[in-house]
């Protein structure tokens, strides 16, 4: 299985959704770098209605044994979902996101999300996602997404690059 | 929370035995504080840097990963936490496991959420781990499983695991004592224990009653039929509404068997297992005590009492009354 970098790399950015038929197990998603800023940590926590002090108050975070504030799990969940839908495009539908956290995301760090398509069944793809930061793996998880299926009558002169 | 005998090790007490009692109990329930709405969706998308057009415009859906956000208590806190969940967290806090971190989140999305949807949710305490030592510190993993609905329709499920722990830094003793990390707890010689009851939403009230030395019988609110053991609905009319009546404690042996074989750990055969008919009319399986196993008889009058089987388990049993005795 080669599959390093699929042909579908830019689907999301063009507003075009990948077709289930063009996605293969082993396809790698292009990495997404996320700068972990203090603003991102706090904005994510507040947008997810999470007012735990360890996500916005560095002093209290330190009292609880952390070196600084850290990203909450809802933000990580949101970023993982975004990573997958960014790649597959707006018509891709998230069905399941299951994540486990490891090393915390502290301000100043960078998290690099990578993903590999593990399995494709019918219109449903399973993507294994890892988000690594300077301390190790912040998140490992699996995302299940359904993709539109076009009839197997492929377009004549199929051109993977452009939505025409 | 009355302090138990010190467990001997340094560091906080192992409260696993107490925590287990909460498995199966309701954790959080309620109605989302806000309807699904465009501003919260937009703020989320801004924070996440998510420009997916599906989340904006006339037919916008909420990002599915917002599922939990609609159930959050926010700054004003959770109104919907159950007594059991509050107690569980307080028990951990009191025992020194004051820090909390989320470790796992598993969500399934069954239906898209759209602005205007009213969210309701309820969750159960699915499991509690034994005490674990992690990089962060020593503590317990608590897993809850939540069903989220939009109106009356299932919208998603949300399994969430937190670690309640004592920070590793906080565990270092001032004197720099004890070279060992808290992993090697000494385990007392394992004495076989009686099986634990499986407590769930349908029978939690029964076990709560037992903990208060009350034997509770369900009563159908529609037809008044009493039922035991506990069930979600009435056997007689199917009605789901019920309340309870407390058994007075009088009963008779309706039938019984004597267990000789096979021997189960923690049980000491031979012993009598009785089907006891309570004065209220329902029947219940329990032990008949206070009389030798071979002297148990059908029709024998018995009286309810509560037997402490071990530190964590108390059971309703029936003691033979009258009959030659003290």
């Amino acid at each position: 299985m080669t599959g390093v970098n699929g042909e579908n790399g830019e689907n999301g950015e063009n507003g075009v959704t990948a077709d289930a038929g063009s996605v293969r197990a082993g396809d790698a998603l292009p990495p997404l770098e996320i700068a972990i800023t203090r603003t991102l940590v706090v904005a994510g926590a507040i947008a997810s209605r999470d007012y735990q002090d360890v996500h916005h108050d560095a002093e209290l975070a330190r009292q609880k044994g952390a070196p600084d504030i850290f990203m909450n799990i809802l933000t990580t969940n949101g970023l993982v979902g975004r990573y997958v839908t960014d790649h597959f495009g707006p018509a891709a539908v998230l069905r399941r996101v299951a994540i486990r956290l490891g090393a915390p995301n502290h301000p100043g760090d960078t998290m690099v999300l990578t993903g590999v398509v593990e399995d494709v069944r019918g219109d449903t793809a399973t993507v294994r996602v890892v988000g690594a930061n300077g301390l190790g793996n912040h998140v490992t998880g699996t995302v299940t997404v359904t993709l539109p299926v076009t009839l197997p009558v492929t377009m004549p002169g199929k051109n993977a690059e452009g939505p025409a | 929370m009355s302090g138990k005998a010190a467990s001997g090790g340094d560091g906080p007490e192992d409260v696993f035995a107490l925590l287990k009692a909460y498995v199966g109990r309701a954790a959080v329930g309620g109605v989302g504080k806000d309807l699904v709405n465009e501003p919260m969706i937009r703020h989320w998308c801004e924070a996440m840097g998510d420009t997916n057009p599906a989340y904006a415009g006339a037919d916008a859906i909420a990002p599915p990963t917002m599922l939990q956000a609609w159930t959050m208590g926010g700054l004003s806190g959770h109104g919907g936490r159950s007594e059991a969940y509050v107690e569980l967290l307080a028990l951990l806090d009191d025992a020194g496991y004051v820090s909390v971190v989320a470790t796992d989140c598993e969500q399934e999305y069954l239906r898209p959420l759209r602005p205007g949807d009213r969210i309701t949710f309820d969750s159960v305490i699915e499991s509690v781990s034994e005490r674990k030592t992690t990089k962060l510190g020593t503590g317990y993993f608590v897993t809850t499983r939540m069903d989220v609905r939009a109106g009356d329709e299932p919208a998603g499920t949300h399994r969430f695991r937190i670690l309640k722990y004592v920070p590793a830094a906080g565990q270092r003793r001032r004197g720099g004592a004890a070279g060992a990390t808290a992993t090697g707890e000494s385990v007392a010689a394992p004495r076989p224990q009686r099986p634990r009851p499986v407590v769930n939403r349908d029978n939690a009230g029964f076990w709560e009653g037992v903990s208060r030395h009350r034997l509770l019988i369900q009563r159908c609110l529609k037809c008044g039929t009493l039922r035991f053991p506990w069930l979600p609905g009435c056997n007689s009319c199917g009605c789901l509404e019920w309340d309870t009546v407390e058994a007075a404690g009088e009963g008779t042996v309706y039938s019984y068997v004597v267990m000789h074989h096979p021997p189960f750990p923690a049980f000491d055969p031979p012993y009598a297992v009785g089907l006891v008919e309570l004065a209220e009319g329902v029947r219940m399986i329990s032990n008949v005590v206070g009389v030798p196993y071979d002297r148990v008889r059908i029709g024998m009058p018995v009286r309810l009492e509560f037997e402490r089987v071990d530190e964590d388990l108390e059971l309703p049993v029936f003691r033979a009354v009258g009959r030659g005795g003290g």
Side-chain angles (χ1 to χ4, degrees):
Chain A
M1 198 91 29
T2 61
V4 176
N5 197 6
E7 307 86 310
N8 334 302
E10 266 81 52
N11 285 301
E13 283 157 43
N14 292 338
V16 172
T17 296
D19 181 285
S22 67
V23 176
R24 301 265 179 276
D27 286 353
L29 280 61
L32 174 65
E33 261 188 37
I34 309 254
I36 311 301
T37 61
R38 204 164 285 278
T39 303
L40 171 59
V41 173
V42 173
I46 302 312
S48 56
R49 308 267 301 141
D50 183 348
Y51 291 85
Q52 294 282 332
D53 50 31
V54 291
H55 304 310
H56 63 259
D57 188 326
E59 202 169 313
L60 292 177
R62 277 190 285 272
Q63 277 177 26
K64 292 184 175 171
D68 200 341
I69 61 167
F70 54 93
M71 182 178 283
N72 73 338
I73 194 167
L74 290 90
T75 301
T76 303
N77 206 41
L79 292 173
V80 168
R82 171 198 152 190
Y83 176 53
V84 170
T85 50
D86 271 3
H87 176 68
F88 288 110
V93 178
L94 293 175
R95 299 295 179 190
R96 181 171 185 272
V97 176
I99 58 169
R100 165 162 296 181
L101 296 193
N105 266 343
H106 292 298
D109 208 337
T110 300
M111 175 172 70
V112 181
L113 287 163
T114 53
V116 175
V117 176
E118 250 185 1
D119 187 42
V120 182
R121 271 170 216 214
D123 62 349
T124 304
T126 311
V127 184
R128 180 88 188 143
V129 175
V130 176
N133 63 23
L135 301 172
N137 283 348
H138 165 68
V139 59
T140 52
T142 307
V143 177
T144 306
V145 66
T146 49
L147 305 169
V149 183
T150 49
L151 293 174
V153 191
T154 39
M155 282 177 274
K158 171 184 171 189
N159 176 0
E161 295 305 318
Chain B
M1 213 90 331
S2 64
K4 301 229 166 220
S7 51
D10 61 339
E13 188 190 347
D14 186 352
V15 291
F16 177 61
L18 300 173
L19 301 177
K20 277 185 308 182
Y22 292 92
V23 172
R25 307 276 299 274
V28 181
V31 180
K33 290 195 168 179
D34 298 286
L35 301 181
V36 174
N37 65 84
E38 281 174 37
M40 281 173 65
I41 293 172
R42 191 167 52 76
H43 299 164
W44 170 282
C45 289
E46 284 181 3
M48 304 300 157
D50 198 334
T51 55
N52 190 337
Y55 306 149
D59 196 31
I61 62 168
T65 49
M66 282 188 82
L67 187 70
Q68 185 187 3
W70 304 115
T71 71
M72 296 289 279
L75 254 189
S76 51
H78 264 296
R81 276 187 178 161
S82 74
E83 220 169 276
Y85 197 51
V86 170
E87 267 176 43
L88 171 77
L89 296 177
L91 198 152
L92 284 163
D93 283 334
D94 291 350
Y97 305 93
V98 293
S99 294
V100 64
V101 65
T103 62
D104 293 80
C105 173
E106 296 169 26
Q107 300 182 332
E108 269 186 276
Y109 313 114
L110 304 173
R111 153 204 196 286
L113 297 177
R114 295 198 154 77
D117 280 333
R118 177 174 297 281
I119 299 300
T120 57
F121 55 95
D122 66 291
S123 71
V124 292
I125 301 164
E126 190 175 69
S127 66
V128 180
S129 77
E130 291 183 27
R131 186 159 64 172
K132 307 271 188 191
T133 297
T134 73
K135 252 188 219 169
L136 285 171
T138 296
Y140 301 85
F141 290 94
V142 179
T143 307
T144 54
R145 184 187 182 283
M146 178 183 280
D147 290 313
V148 180
R149 285 175 300 277
D152 288 333
E153 291 177 48
T157 63
H158 169 61
R159 179 177 283 114
F160 201 63
R161 186 167 301 125
I162 59 170
L163 173 66
K164 280 287 280 176
Y165 66 102
V166 183
Q171 280 187 315
R172 274 182 233 123
R173 289 295 153 114
R174 273 152 284 168
T181 48
T183 40
E185 307 151 40
S186 65
V187 180
R191 188 175 306 149
Q193 286 199 313
R194 293 274 286 257
R196 305 291 108 170
V198 176
V199 182
N200 55 40
R201 273 189 276 187
D202 291 331
N203 67 9
F206 170 75
W207 291 104
E208 210 157 38
V210 169
S211 73
R212 290 181 289 125
H213 286 191
R214 298 176 66 199
L215 182 63
L216 298 179
I217 303 167
Q218 280 177 303
R219 175 172 58 191
C220 176
L221 278 185
K222 191 169 167 202
C223 71
T225 304
L226 299 180
R227 65 177 185 266
F228 195 94
W230 281 44
L231 289 167
C234 177
N235 291 323
S236 159
C237 75
C239 172
L240 297 175
E241 305 296 316
W242 51 269
D243 65 358
T244 59
V245 293
E246 183 180 355
E250 310 300 334
T252 53
V253 175
Y254 184 83
S255 183
Y256 68 97
V257 293
V258 175
M259 280 297 295
H260 295 272
H261 192 80
F264 294 100
F267 289 87
D268 193 15
Y271 53 91
V273 178
L275 179 60
V276 172
E277 184 163 281
L278 300 177
E280 290 76 12
V282 297
R283 294 176 197 148
M284 166 176 182
I285 291 171
S286 178
N287 289 113
V288 180
V289 301
V291 59
Y293 68 90
D294 55 355
R295 304 290 291 276
V296 175
R297 292 291 178 270
I298 287 171
M300 178 179 264
V302 291
R303 174 152 189 84
L304 171 71
E305 65 180 44
F306 291 87
E307 181 180 314
R308 178 154 289 285
V309 177
D310 55 47
E311 199 184 320
D312 310 310
L313 184 61
E314 228 177 345
L315 294 172
V317 298
F318 290 87
R319 180 171 294 276
V321 292
R323 269 288 147 146

